[in-house]
Each structure stands twice: as C-alpha cells, then as structure tokens.
Amino acid sequence: MSAPPADAEPGAPSLRSLLAADAGVPAPQQAPPPAVVPLPEDLAPPPPPTTFEPQWSGLGAALPSDVALLCVTSTSTGQGPALSLNWHHDGISASAPQEPLAPELATRGLSLASVIKEAAATPENGTRWQDAYYEMMNRWSAQDQLHRWLGDLTGAEEPRLIVWDNTAHEIPWELVYHDPPRGQAGWLGALMPVIRWTSVHDGELVGRLPSRGNASDGGLLMVEDESLRAKAEIFQTYLAEPSFTKLDNLLHRLDQPTGPLGLVIIRCHGHYAPEAQRFELGGLNLNRVTGFRMKALRDSGVPVLMNACSSGCTIQDPKSVGRPVRSFVELFLRKGAGAVIAVAGVVGVEHSEEFAARLLEDAGGTATNLAVALRDHRRHYARRAGEPSGGGADGRREDDFELFFAAFLYLYYGHPDSTVRMRRNDEGAA
C-alpha cells in the first residue's frame, strides 16, 4: 500500500485502519457528554472526512466519475451494534459513522440467506415470497444518507458501485431498493453492476483493491458433484480437461501448471456453519481448504465460480486470533483467483445450472464483463417480479418472487473491469 499523502492530517486514520476486518469486540465508549441544547449553528452537518483518499485503495489518483466506493465496517454505540459507512464518489468523500442495527438483526439477521430461509419455512402463507419481496423493498428506505449518495451515483452515465464490506452481517447491498424523487427506481443490483470486495489477508491485498482488471481467456476447469451433474451440454463444450467429481481432486490439480483457463467452476454442495471446522464446501471445511496452495490461480488469475450453496457466506471465527471475518471467497482471492462469484445462501439446482450455463454462453468467444453479467442476470428476474405495467392484471406468481431472490444470491468479488472469454475445446483450449 502506498504511503498517505505528505499533507495528510496528523494522526488521521489510514484506509487500512478504516477497512481492517472486524475484530468482533465493541469499540470502547467514552462517557456521554453533558446534554446541551443545540444552537442553530450546531445543527449544520460536520464536513466530510478528508482522509479517505482513493489512491490509498490502489485505484489510482481518482475513481472514474461513474464508479463509487462504499466501505462498510462494524462499530457499536451505547445502544448496541452499528455500521460505519464511508463513501467516495466523484472526488468527494463522506461518512455515516454510526448507523444503528437492531441487536436481533446483527447476527446474520440481515442476510439474504435468512430471508430465504424464513420465506421457505412458512408454507401456510400463500404469498410468503411476495411478502418477503415487499419487506425487503422497505428495509433500507429510512437510510436517507445512503440514498442521497446513491442518487448522486445514479446520475452518472454508466454507474457502478464497489462495496467493500468487512463485516460478518452478510448485508445484501444488491437488494437495497432505491426510489428517488426523479430518475429510475429499482433494486441496486439490477440498476447497476455491484462489485464486492473484502480485506484479503495475503500481505499484498490486505488494505487495497486490485489495481486493474483481469482478462481471462481459455477453457473450463470444473468439479461437478455426481448428484449435481448438469444436463446442459454447454459445459462439455468448454472443458479443457475432464471434470472432477471431488473438490480435493480439483484443488490438487490447481497445485500444478495448467493451460490457458477462462474459468474454474466449483459445482458441489455447500454447508453453512458458524465455525470454520463445520463450514464446508464440497465436503471440505474452511480450515482444510486453506491447506491447498492452488498455485495455478496465482499464475493465471483465473476467476472462480463457486456455484454451491452458502459459498458466499461469512463467519467470524472465535478460534482465530482477533476473530477475523473469514469466508471461502476471501480464501480463493488470497490464493490468487482474479475474481470470485459465490452464492450467499441456499440456491436451487436448476437455477444454479441455468446461471452457469448462461455465463458460459455469454462468454463463448466474446470477452464478457463479469460484474455486468451478474447485473443482467438479476435484472432479468427483477423484471419478472416487478409491478405489472399499464395497470393490467397482476400475473406474477410466487415462483417469480422465489426466483428473484435466487438471482440476487449471486455475488461478484473482483475488479469492475474484469472479463472472461471462453474457448471451446476444439479451439485448442484442451
């Protein structure tokens, strides 16, 4: 990470301190000052911070005017857990330092996985998915500062949002519903590409974003659980090598040099648990996967699609020093993946196959922007679940709302400009 500018405020917090992974320990609280009646001049909002500079995050002297960066960390107030939001867009920095969270929501209660689990567990309610849809639409409506920031961003020609979230709350930022007085309303992840990032503990990326996008170009390397074998033939079209049936076999293969790769797909079962030794992907827990070097990822920077339930979830491991936020996403980025697409909850087998097949089809012979591909996937299902136009009959079914949530389970971690181009195995990808 580059040093802060010479003219930075003495004692100002660095980006590293702002973005350090949560330690899970509430910040010490000072005694509240004596209550005073504010004078009119005291009601003016404080000036935005001047220490949150984009070059500190490895993005160059300035973010492009159509890209905003939202950094999210956990904090606490006298009333309980809270969020600290830092925003940078078009050369202007701002912050919302203590946005309170209800204690019952602080432990995964905000996650999309929890919303889906609750909706799926109430079969007596014939509109359970639709109810969840409208509940989510109103969840962030009172976050006025956030919506003011988003209003500035959506005025850009091709807006993009990077969310650097170091918390374990699993907040579905793609499902913030933005309804401005003027302009287009909609779900954030369908309005624009939403790019995720997290602190990566590899000594190089721990306090910075990738400096440039990755352009992968080649064949497909894949593990496919026998119980999830895809019906679509498109997977066979791009295989650089025969697919594996066990995750450990694929991970051992990634320890060796490979030919040009466009994508690695992990299509297996995932199991969420709050402890690393029980949080599993393909039958391997998070601690065991750490033991694979996967040198081919760092050599090629190939993106990884973890097309498995809960592969995008996070834990705050009490057995790790400092209680860092851990995940399979952070692990594969640390091992060298140029980007990661993961699933933030339980997804249906058919939908997961459709998503992967559509991505391969779009990227077949054409460089496809990964963040844009996910936006288009969400947008397709958001339109199906949206209000009927022209005041006509409401033909939406519960399936439309269920598939809407499934589409928003997919999260993209990487650079805004990373692309993938798939080569058929008869083009020399094998």
Side-chain angles (χ1 to χ4, degrees):
M1 179 183 294
S2 59
D7 57 350
E9 276 183 32
S14 67
L15 181 65
R16 184 183 298 274
S17 66
L18 286 172
L19 300 177
D22 296 309
V25 178
Q29 299 296 312
Q30 296 179 350
V36 296
V37 178
L39 299 175
E41 58 268 22
D42 295 328
L43 299 179
T50 59
T51 58
F52 188 70
E53 298 296 337
Q55 61 264 30
W56 294 11
S57 60
L59 288 178
L63 291 169
S65 61
D66 64 347
V67 178
L69 176 64
L70 174 65
C71 294
V72 187
T73 53
S74 284
T75 182
S76 63
T77 68
Q79 287 72 43
L83 294 177
S84 177
L85 307 180
N86 288 275
W87 176 266
H88 188 94
H89 173 233
D90 204 14
I92 296 177
S93 297
S95 66
Q98 291 186 332
E99 296 295 323
L101 292 175
E104 61 272 17
L105 294 179
T107 306
R108 297 197 85 229
L110 289 167
S111 70
L112 181 53
S114 297
V115 173
I116 290 176
K117 182 178 180 180
E118 182 178 352
T122 53
E124 70 281 357
N125 182 355
T127 60
R128 63 192 187 279
W129 291 105
Q130 187 172 175
D131 291 343
Y133 175 89
Y134 285 106
E135 180 180 340
M136 184 62 70
M137 181 179 285
N138 288 278
R139 172 170 285 186
W140 298 97
S141 60
Q143 297 296 315
D144 299 325
Q145 181 61 66
L146 176 62
H147 286 286
R148 280 194 289 270
W149 293 339
L150 293 175
D152 293 337
L153 175 61
T154 54
E157 185 174 348
E158 295 183 2
R160 294 177 289 173
L161 176 63
I162 303 171
V163 180
W164 191 330
D165 190 337
N166 277 328
T167 76
H169 300 311
E170 298 182 12
I171 299 170
W173 295 104
E174 294 80 0
L175 277 171
V176 170
Y177 191 80
H178 182 57
D179 188 7
R182 293 173 296 277
Q184 185 179 3
W187 304 94
L188 199 57
L191 289 175
M192 66 184 71
V194 176
I195 299 95
R196 295 291 194 111
W197 194 249
T198 186
S199 288
V200 180
H201 303 290
D202 72 343
E204 297 179 1
L205 287 174
V206 65
R208 58 193 302 143
L209 289 160
S211 58
R212 60 182 181 273
N214 183 66
S216 63
D217 189 338
L220 171 64
L221 200 60
M222 183 176 182
V223 59
E224 190 176 28
D225 189 281
E226 291 180 347
S227 64
L228 300 175
R229 189 167 297 280
K231 300 175 183 177
E233 296 180 358
I234 193 168
F235 296 95
Q236 303 298 323
T237 302
Y238 295 106
L239 279 175
E241 301 176 14
S243 61
F244 299 92
T245 58
K246 301 294 184 182
L247 178 59
D248 56 349
N249 292 335
L250 172 71
L251 301 183
H252 279 300
R253 177 65 186 90
L254 289 172
D255 276 340
Q256 309 301 321
T258 67
L261 292 176
L263 187 65
V264 172
I265 293 182
I266 297 174
R267 182 170 164 79
C268 59
H269 294 288
H271 173 72
Y272 172 81
E275 302 87 18
Q277 64 268 29
R278 294 174 51 233
F279 185 19
E280 294 184 349
L281 179 68
L284 301 177
N285 67 43
L286 181 57
N287 285 340
R288 288 192 60 189
V289 177
T290 307
F292 293 88
R293 296 296 305 277
M294 294 183 262
K295 295 187 292 290
L297 293 184
R298 193 165 297 279
D299 292 342
S300 65
V302 61
V304 175
L305 167 57
M306 292 193 292
N307 206 2
C309 292
S310 303
S311 56
C313 294
T314 60
I315 63 170
Q316 197 162 23
D317 192 354
K319 294 186 177 181
S320 295
V321 176
R323 296 192 67 203
V325 175
R326 299 180 61 191
S327 65
F328 285 103
V329 170
E330 186 275 333
L331 178 57
F332 276 90
L333 291 172
R334 190 198 321 164
K335 296 294 184 180
V340 170
I341 299 173
V343 185
V346 176
V347 66
V349 174
E350 291 184 0
H351 188 91
S352 68
E353 179 179 336
E354 178 200 339
F355 171 78
R358 179 180 293 179
L359 180 61
L360 290 174
E361 183 178 3
D362 290 345
T366 303
T368 297
N369 183 288
L370 290 166
V372 172
L374 263 72
R375 179 207 60 187
D376 293 345
H377 183 71
R378 301 184 196 108
R379 182 177 287 179
H380 171 76
Y381 288 97
R383 286 172 174 164
R384 286 179 55 172
E387 293 286 353
S389 59
D394 190 343
R396 294 175 297 173
R397 303 174 304 173
E398 276 288 276
D399 287 351
D400 294 324
F401 295 101
E402 184 177 2
L403 288 170
F404 164 85
F405 284 114
F408 278 79
L409 282 169
Y410 283 89
L411 309 179
Y412 168 70
Y413 288 78
H415 190 280
D417 297 326
S418 289
T419 61
V420 58
R421 180 181 185 271
M422 299 304 302
R423 292 186 179 272
R424 300 165 57 97
N425 41 38
D426 58 10
E427 295 179 295

